Amino acid sequence: MTVNDDIVPLRGTGDLRFAIIVDPQLASGLLANTVATIAIGLGARHHGAGNVRMTDSNGVTIFNSADRPVPILQADAAALASLLEKAHAPSTDHSVVAFPAFARSLHSFEEYESVFPERRLMTEKLDGIGLCGPSKWVRSLTGSLKLLR
């Protein structure tokens, strides 16, 4: 896999905020998988928030994980459904990544992509949601949520 050197890292600049909200009732392995999967979706959409090549004094080169905080918040199933309802409006300045619980029973992305159009996301149980957009928008949706502990 090659790195797209045309991507301009944001390096913490700009009014862009992330939040990942998960159901705290998930088992720890499912919780970790949900957060990781949502983070990959957000990172793919907003790849300028990462992709900074960094080399240490010994010559070890890595890519940064993120250029700003990514709080992991908690919300129960009802709150996740409400959050999706408020956040889902199409926009060019924000993104929503959802992890519906039914996705766990599928064994390939092709299968997920195939059955997704037949589902109604607003009525599905959600394991988590990722948000990225202007700080005011993200805070308006997540300001009352607690950090996952």
Side-chain angles (χ1 to χ4, degrees):
M1 187 164 122
T2 61
V3 174
N4 182 350
D5 291 324
D6 296 332
I7 296 171
V8 178
L10 298 171
R11 297 180 187 264
T13 62
D15 181 31
L16 188 66
R17 187 175 199 75
F18 289 96
I20 296 176
I21 307 93
V22 293
D23 182 345
Q25 299 302 312
L26 292 171
S28 59
L30 297 179
L31 194 62
N33 176 259
T34 300
V35 170
T37 304
I38 290 171
I40 288 172
L42 289 172
R45 176 78 172 102
H46 299 278
H47 42 85
N51 201 35
V52 175
R53 190 182 319 240
M54 299 174 8
T55 303
D56 75 3
S57 62
N58 287 329
V60 176
T61 299
I62 63 164
F63 289 94
N64 72 307
S65 52
D67 72 343
R68 63 200 69 225
V70 182
I72 309 302
L73 308 171
Q74 59 180 314
D76 63 19
L80 284 166
S82 176
L83 184 59
L84 179 62
E85 187 175 336
K86 294 174 187 172
H88 85 282
S91 172
T92 58
D93 73 343
H94 69 261
S95 302
V96 177
V97 174
F99 192 116
F102 76 83
R104 289 198 196 284
S105 66
L106 305 175
H107 302 289
S108 71
F109 179 75
E110 291 76 17
E111 188 178 3
Y112 178 66
E113 195 173 29
S114 169
V115 302
F116 191 88
E118 300 166 7
R119 307 301 282 248
R120 293 178 43 130
L121 199 54
M122 293 296 189
T123 61
E124 295 288 343
K125 180 187 180 310
L126 300 173
D127 286 349
I129 296 175
L131 303 173
C132 182
S135 294
K136 183 178 180 180
W137 178 73
V138 174
R139 281 190 187 124
S140 74
L141 294 168
T142 62
S144 65
L145 300 177
K146 294 179 181 179
L147 282 172
L148 179 67
R149 301 213 183 261

